[in-house]
Amino acid sequence: MATILSFSFLQLPASLFRQRTNLLRSTFAFSSSFSSSSSAASVSAPNLSRKKWKQPVFSALDLGGVKVNREDVVRDDPTNNVPDNIFSKLGVQLHRRDQHPLGILKNAIYQYFDENYSNKFNKFDDLSPIVSVKENFDDVLVPEDHVSRSYNDTYYVDPQTVLRCHTSAHQAELLRSGNTHFLVTGDVYRRDSIDSTHYPVFHQMEGFRVFVPEEWEASEMDGTSFAAADLKKCLEGLARHLFGAVEMRWVDTYFPFTNPSFELEIYFKEKWMEVLGCGVTEQEILKRNGQPNNVAWAFGLGLERLAMVLFDIPDIRLFWSNDERFTSQFSAGQLGVKFKPFSKYPPCYKDISFWINESFTENNLCELVRGIAGDLVEEVQLIDDFTNKKGMTSHCYRIAYRSMERSLTDDEINDLQWKVRDQVQSKLNVVLR
């Protein structure tokens, strides 16, 4: 489960989700829509003596043998907020590359389940990330007024179609198809902040297991207690498989789709680290999908989160690098090989200040900056916030530009910053200071 059921609220701790405001970087929040056109950069800027960097744009992608055209996903429509740089990530499927850290981690988890459950779990890792609102939200019991449905945090193709926010979007369909033990891995999409641990595309794995009455009746336990005990045993074993003999603890938490719900933490490198979220599936989900007399458990984890720890990868953008100095360091089946940093190019910082309006959100700003600068933007950080005597609020953001692979020139960075300033003013309707 994820954000909503990919218990991976797990790009961030679940506690932040419960405290969420529309300026936090968590998973979702309602605010004004931000159309795909707002990510385009078309503004006059100083002439450059070198070729300008441009965000690549693709006209079509292949998803599981089905051709998806750009206009199917990126539309000039107020209900669409998918920019070109997000469309270009569809179909990349880093988790299916056996020599990539995410693929290595996925296969290590597969190995654990194959060895301990006799190949009982069906595996799905190529399901389309374009899903219906019903699949993404309704089928996992997300309330209609929940902040997670916001245009501020979710990529909408149209009012009834989104880029999945979590792998749980496939849960109901798989249950109705007769699957009772399954692992779902895939790329998921959320509008988010910009820093070393957050990226609008990341990867999750969900596990699901259904029990029939005969399996718990002999144990003299009720179905819920039996499923919870089995879940904890399974995931403690998975944690040892990935991290070795580590100290663990269970923390009670809340998810709208499981009851009871838990988070597993391990003591790793002298601190407690949340590994995953999980719980006993709400009976309503089973009832709706042809399993009214059974019980089930589910868990969800974020692959990047674990891979950054296991491989010592310091910046989430590196997962998308094609630089041989990164890709050559990893081999299929070699879990936990420590990443050796290559040349660290210096960052360049640019500040931008403006008076905000009522519809302003930080996620919209980050989407705009990312749409212009792509992976050349390392971080967008609020460094000053004040309200004057007239009640007007000013924000100052510091933008860090840094390439993972080369030095950026002053002209190149200035060109990007001019575009950001122009688009911030015209697209977000704020007043620059």
Side-chain angles (χ1 to χ4, degrees), residues 270-282:
E270 300 184 350
K271 64 180 180 180
W272 285 102
M273 182 184 78
E274 181 186 332
V275 176
L276 49 78
C278 60
V280 178
T281 306
E282 283 284 4

Side-chain angles (χ1 to χ4, degrees), residues 374-386:
D375 285 353
L376 297 183
V377 57
E378 179 176 69
E379 184 175 33
V380 175
Q381 181 183 17
L382 178 66
I383 61 172
D384 187 51
D385 176 1
F386 76 90

Side-chain angles (χ1 to χ4, degrees), residues 1-14 166-168 171 190 204-208 231 253-263 274-281 297-302:
M1 318 216 156
T3 294
I4 309 180
L5 184 38
S6 167
F7 300 93
S8 279
F9 287 112
L10 290 179
Q11 246 199 326
L12 283 180
H166 51 108
T167 47
S168 303
Q171 186 184 108
R190 300 179 197 164
Q204 291 183 337
M205 179 184 291
E206 169 163 347
F208 202 94
L231 171 65
T253 188
Y254 165 79
F255 298 115
F257 28 77
T258 54
N259 185 22
S261 302
F262 315 101
E263 290 168 355
E274 181 186 332
V275 176
L276 49 78
C278 60
V280 178
T281 306
W297 58 241
F299 72 85
L301 54 84

Side-chain angles (χ1 to χ4, degrees), residues 277-418:
C278 60
V280 178
T281 306
E282 283 284 4
Q283 204 62 31
E284 181 63 23
I285 293 176
L286 295 171
K287 191 180 302 181
R288 291 182 184 182
N289 296 289
Q291 306 277 347
N293 300 316
N294 301 330
V295 297
W297 58 241
F299 72 85
L301 54 84
L303 292 180
E304 276 88 347
R305 179 177 186 146
L306 297 187
M308 290 181 80
V309 173
L310 289 166
F311 293 93
D312 278 352
I313 295 174
D315 194 307
I316 196 169
R317 293 177 299 164
L318 279 165
F319 289 109
W320 296 91
S321 176
N322 290 317
D323 192 311
E324 201 172 276
R325 291 171 296 178
F326 176 77
T327 58
S328 64
Q329 294 192 34
F330 309 102
S331 301
Q334 299 299 308
L335 181 68
V337 171
K338 302 308 180 184
F339 169 67
K340 297 180 178 62
F342 41 86
S343 298
K344 188 71 171 179
Y345 297 99
C348 177
Y349 299 101
K350 296 288 183 179
D351 293 351
I352 181 171
S353 300
F354 46 84
W355 300 103
I356 68 172
N357 54 39
E358 290 184 357
S359 64
F360 173 81
T361 71
E362 189 171 307
N363 277 358
N364 282 350
L365 172 66
C366 290
E367 275 298 297
L368 186 149
V369 175
R370 189 183 283 115
I372 293 171
D375 285 353
L376 297 183
V377 57
E378 179 176 69
E379 184 175 33
V380 175
Q381 181 183 17
L382 178 66
I383 61 172
D384 187 51
D385 176 1
F386 76 90
T387 302
N388 66 14
K389 294 179 180 179
K390 295 181 180 180
M392 297 174 63
T393 298
S394 170
H395 283 182
C396 180
Y397 287 90
R398 178 156 294 162
I399 303 174
Y401 296 99
R402 189 204 312 250
S403 170
M404 305 298 293
E405 300 167 359
R406 60 185 177 84
S407 290
L408 301 176
T409 67
D410 288 339
D411 283 345
E412 187 175 16
I413 295 166
N414 288 336
D415 178 52
L416 292 172
Q417 185 68 6
W418 275 108

Side-chain angles (χ1 to χ4, degrees), residues 140-328:
V140 288
L141 309 183
V142 177
E144 290 187 5
D145 60 351
H146 199 279
V147 293
S148 63
R149 296 176 183 253
S150 169
Y151 275 73
N152 185 57
D153 284 50
T154 298
Y155 289 108
Y156 278 81
V157 175
D158 59 45
Q160 299 304 320
T161 311
V162 298
L163 302 184
R164 66 183 170 207
C165 306
H166 51 108
T167 47
S168 303
H170 306 286
Q171 186 184 108
E173 178 186 3
L174 291 173
L175 284 171
R176 289 194 297 269
S177 299
N179 292 282
T180 58
H181 298 66
F182 53 85
L183 302 171
V184 181
T185 313
D187 42 322
V188 298
Y189 299 78
R190 300 179 197 164
R191 302 175 88 237
D192 210 340
S193 299
I194 299 176
D195 59 34
S196 63
T197 61
H198 290 82
Y199 200 78
V201 188
F202 55 104
H203 299 74
Q204 291 183 337
M205 179 184 291
E206 169 163 347
F208 202 94
R209 183 179 187 182
V210 176
F211 299 91
V212 297
E214 291 77 13
E215 292 181 89
W216 72 78
E217 286 174 349
S219 70
E220 298 184 355
M221 301 170 68
D222 62 86
T224 297
S225 299
F226 181 85
D230 185 86
L231 171 65
K232 290 183 176 181
K233 178 182 177 181
C234 170
L235 296 180
E236 287 172 0
L238 175 60
R240 285 190 291 270
H241 179 73
L242 297 178
F243 293 95
V246 292
E247 185 180 353
M248 304 177 218
R249 68 183 183 189
W250 289 97
V251 179
D252 292 336
T253 188
Y254 165 79
F255 298 115
F257 28 77
T258 54
N259 185 22
S261 302
F262 315 101
E263 290 168 355
L264 175 61
E265 297 182 349
I266 65 171
Y267 195 70
F268 188 75
K269 294 186 176 179
E270 300 184 350
K271 64 180 180 180
W272 285 102
M273 182 184 78
E274 181 186 332
V275 176
L276 49 78
C278 60
V280 178
T281 306
E282 283 284 4
Q283 204 62 31
E284 181 63 23
I285 293 176
L286 295 171
K287 191 180 302 181
R288 291 182 184 182
N289 296 289
Q291 306 277 347
N293 300 316
N294 301 330
V295 297
W297 58 241
F299 72 85
L301 54 84
L303 292 180
E304 276 88 347
R305 179 177 186 146
L306 297 187
M308 290 181 80
V309 173
L310 289 166
F311 293 93
D312 278 352
I313 295 174
D315 194 307
I316 196 169
R317 293 177 299 164
L318 279 165
F319 289 109
W320 296 91
S321 176
N322 290 317
D323 192 311
E324 201 172 276
R325 291 171 296 178
F326 176 77
T327 58
S328 64

